[in-house]
Amino acid sequence: MGSRPGGIVSPLGYGGEPPELVMEEVVLISTSDLRQWGVHAYDQWTAMWNGDLSLAEKIMAPEITLRYAQAGTEAFDDIRTPEQLANVIGRWRQSRAELRFAAEGTAVVDLEFVDGAPTGLVARPYLATFTAEDGRTVARSGTDTLRVSDGLITEVWSVSSGAAGRTFYPS
C-alpha cells in the first residue's frame, strides 16, 4: 500500500460510506477526512464487539495491548493478537448474544499522518445494553480509547460504569 501527497491508503477502508458498511477495498483519503476516519475506526471497533468478529483481523494490529479498568476483565489481560481477541469476544457473546454496544456523544480524535498512515488516539463514550435474567434492561456506559499506529488499532483503554465495573463480564 503506497501513499500520495495529501492522502493515505487506509487499511480501515474509510471512504465516506455509512459506518455499518465495512469496505474491503483500499481507498485514498485526504487530510481533511482524518477526523471522520477516526470516527469510522471507532464505529468498526464497536461493530466488532457487536459480533462482526471478522473485523478483528482488519482493524487490529498484529500485536495488541488491552487495558481494561474494571472488575471481571482478567480474560483480556493476556490477549496479544486479533485472533485471540475475536475468540474471547465470540465466547463472551455466546452467553449474552443480545448485548448491544452503541457509540454515544462526540468522538475525540487526535490523529495525524505519520509515514502516510493515521497515528494517534480516538476516544468515545459508549452505551452497552442487555437484558438481565429478571427481564429488566441493564445499561452500562463507558469510554474506550483506541491507540492507532500505522492505520491499525494497537492498544485500547476501556473504563466502564457501575460500582463493580461492568456487571455483564462473565466470571
Side-chain angles (χ1 to χ4, degrees), residues 45 48 56 59-68 76-86 89 147 152-156:
W45 166 256
M48 180 181 66
I59 67 173
M60 306 301 294
E63 186 174 324
I64 58 176
T65 301
L66 304 175
R67 303 177 190 280
Y68 282 69
F76 297 97
D77 290 348
D78 296 325
I79 293 173
R80 295 291 178 260
T81 68
E83 181 182 13
Q84 289 173 322
L85 178 59
I89 293 171
R147 177 176 299 283
L152 296 170
I153 299 168
T154 59
E155 188 172 12
V156 178

Side-chain angles (χ1 to χ4, degrees), residues 88-105:
V88 168
I89 293 171
R91 284 192 310 270
W92 183 51
R93 292 195 60 80
Q94 287 176 354
S95 66
R96 194 162 271 138
E98 83 287 354
L99 175 63
R100 301 306 309 154
F101 289 90
E104 288 201 323

Side-chain angles (χ1 to χ4, degrees), residues 22-158:
V22 177
M23 300 177 60
E24 293 189 7
E25 65 186 38
V26 176
V27 293
L28 187 68
I29 64 173
S30 70
T31 303
S32 64
D33 288 330
L34 197 52
R35 176 175 169 65
Q36 190 59 37
W37 187 96
V39 170
H40 181 69
Y42 190 93
D43 289 343
Q44 289 192 312
W45 166 256
T46 302
M48 180 181 66
W49 279 93
N50 282 331
D52 188 349
L53 301 180
S54 68
L55 285 170
E57 293 291 332
K58 296 174 185 176
I59 67 173
M60 306 301 294
E63 186 174 324
I64 58 176
T65 301
L66 304 175
R67 303 177 190 280
Y68 282 69
Q70 57 263 349
T73 60
E74 294 77 17
F76 297 97
D77 290 348
D78 296 325
I79 293 173
R80 295 291 178 260
T81 68
E83 181 182 13
Q84 289 173 322
L85 178 59
N87 289 339
V88 168
I89 293 171
R91 284 192 310 270
W92 183 51
R93 292 195 60 80
Q94 287 176 354
S95 66
R96 194 162 271 138
E98 83 287 354
L99 175 63
R100 301 306 309 154
F101 289 90
E104 288 201 323
T106 302
V108 176
V109 179
D110 184 14
L111 295 170
E112 63 182 340
F113 291 118
V114 174
D115 295 328
T119 299
L121 300 172
V122 178
R124 192 165 193 184
Y126 66 84
L127 179 67
T129 57
F130 64 94
T131 304
E133 289 178 16
D134 63 5
R136 66 184 169 84
T137 299
V138 177
R140 295 284 185 260
S141 62
T143 300
D144 284 347
T145 301
L146 315 176
R147 177 176 299 283
V148 176
S149 297
D150 202 24
L152 296 170
I153 299 168
T154 59
E155 188 172 12
V156 178
W157 293 270
S158 183

Side-chain angles (χ1 to χ4, degrees), residues 155-168:
E155 188 172 12
V156 178
W157 293 270
S158 183
V159 179
S160 299
S161 69
R166 278 190 259 167
T167 56
F168 49 76

